[in-house]
Amino acid sequence: MEFAPLTAAVSAPSPRRGAESWPRVTLACIAVLALVQAIPGLGEGLLFDRDAIRQGEFWRVVTAHAVHYSWAHLSGNLAVLAVAGLWVEPRGSRALTGVLVAASVAVGGAVWMFEPGIVEFAGASGVTVAVIVYAAGCAWRDGGRARWVAFAVLLGVAAKLVAESNGWHWRDPTADGFVVVASSHMAGAVIGALSVVASSVSGRVLRREPA
């Protein structure tokens, strides 16, 4: 989940065997998130800090997704990201990397532009939403036995976004002074959906090319 204080065209190639089937991007993401959490003070230079960004530390818009306020904050994002990544990465590590990069920029940018009252934020859930929407969208598009599982996942994400946009939160925001940033999840969902469309268009173009 993303929390804040209260005060690209992507192609989806066919699954491959061998080295390409090894979920290296997913495992790398898990390792980076765990490492940032494990090293005290590392996240201070990475989280989204509006004042620091204004002073030229632009990387924080993207690196904020690697920072979490606690292991509990990290664990939910890590679990969903792992499942979604392992689900979709057999389609191609490059495709997943494209989704991750696009979502990192878009989610951070959305917080910067549409949430001017947020001075600090961190968390990977916006990016995670992008990956799960991309994975489920591709599975729904391709049909097969996983299609209805994908539909249920997409329906659940849509319900979550609607609920959050209407002020619902799964946790008590007064417990530690942090709240879910709904716009970050919405931005992630948009990137995930656009990535499915882009991969579909790219796939049709490739199929029309002469051998």
Side-chain angles (χ1 to χ4, degrees), residues 11-109:
S11 63
S14 300
R16 301 173 184 175
R17 295 181 180 178
E20 278 296 312
S21 66
W22 182 252
R24 58 183 183 273
V25 174
T26 301
L27 295 176
C29 287
I30 292 171
V32 168
L33 294 178
L35 184 66
V36 171
Q37 184 63 28
I39 300 177
L42 181 58
E44 291 299 318
L46 302 176
L47 59 77
F48 182 105
D49 182 314
R50 192 171 291 273
D51 291 335
I53 293 170
R54 286 197 183 103
Q55 294 171 16
E57 298 182 11
F58 303 117
W59 65 84
R60 292 175 178 269
V61 172
V62 174
T63 59
H65 311 302
V67 183
H68 293 80
Y69 291 112
S70 67
W71 284 103
H73 182 199
L74 171 64
S75 61
N77 288 334
L78 210 57
V80 177
L81 182 61
V83 171
L86 292 172
W87 188 7
V88 78
E89 191 165 358
R91 295 175 177 277
S93 296
R94 213 180 302 178
L96 176 57
T97 300
V99 175
L100 290 168
V101 171
S104 295
V105 174
V107 171

Side-chain angles (χ1 to χ4, degrees), residues 121-142:
F121 119 115
S125 66
V127 175
T128 298
V129 168
V131 177
I132 195 68
V133 168
Y134 176 65
C138 288
W140 168 259
R141 177 199 63 199
D142 295 345

